[in-house]
Amino acid sequence: IFFSVTVCMWLMFIWFILQEIMHDPQVAADGFTYEGKAISEWLENGHETSPMTNLKLTHLHLTPYHALRLAIQGWLCKS
């Protein structure tokens, strides 16, 4: 059971586009959470659409997802 819980926690913290653990999770206008550096670069390159849905974003502001960042850090410390 420990293995399956560990795998489930790991999968929750993976940003599936890059297949890496998020270190700076940010929520975009589409409601999806992205790695901060990756979504910032996406927006800086002139994209105004969601990487997930390809729909136009209602705004380009990112919101830090502090609770998820802390959960990831806590999980990494226990691993």
Side-chain angles (χ1 to χ4, degrees):
I1 290 177
F2 176 75
F3 176 76
S4 62
V5 170
T6 301
V7 169
C8 288
M9 291 299 290
W10 179 78
L11 289 173
M12 286 175 33
F13 300 146
I14 295 293
W15 185 50
F16 78 93
I17 294 175
L18 293 179
Q19 297 293 306
E20 296 176 0
I21 294 176
M22 285 189 270
H23 297 283
D24 179 29
Q26 300 282 323
V27 180
D30 60 2
F32 288 98
T33 303
Y34 302 94
E35 174 55 39
K37 182 177 178 183
I39 190 65
S40 292
E41 287 177 5
W42 173 266
L43 297 173
E44 288 168 7
N45 285 329
H47 295 97
E48 295 183 356
T49 57
S50 164
M52 295 292 289
T53 66
N54 205 35
L55 298 173
K56 186 171 174 72
L57 296 168
T58 57
H59 61 80
L60 303 180
H61 303 288
L62 300 174
T63 303
Y65 196 161
H66 298 294
L68 180 57
R69 183 178 49 79
L70 291 173
I72 292 169
Q73 288 175 345
W75 181 78
L76 288 171
C77 288
K78 291 180 183 179
S79 297

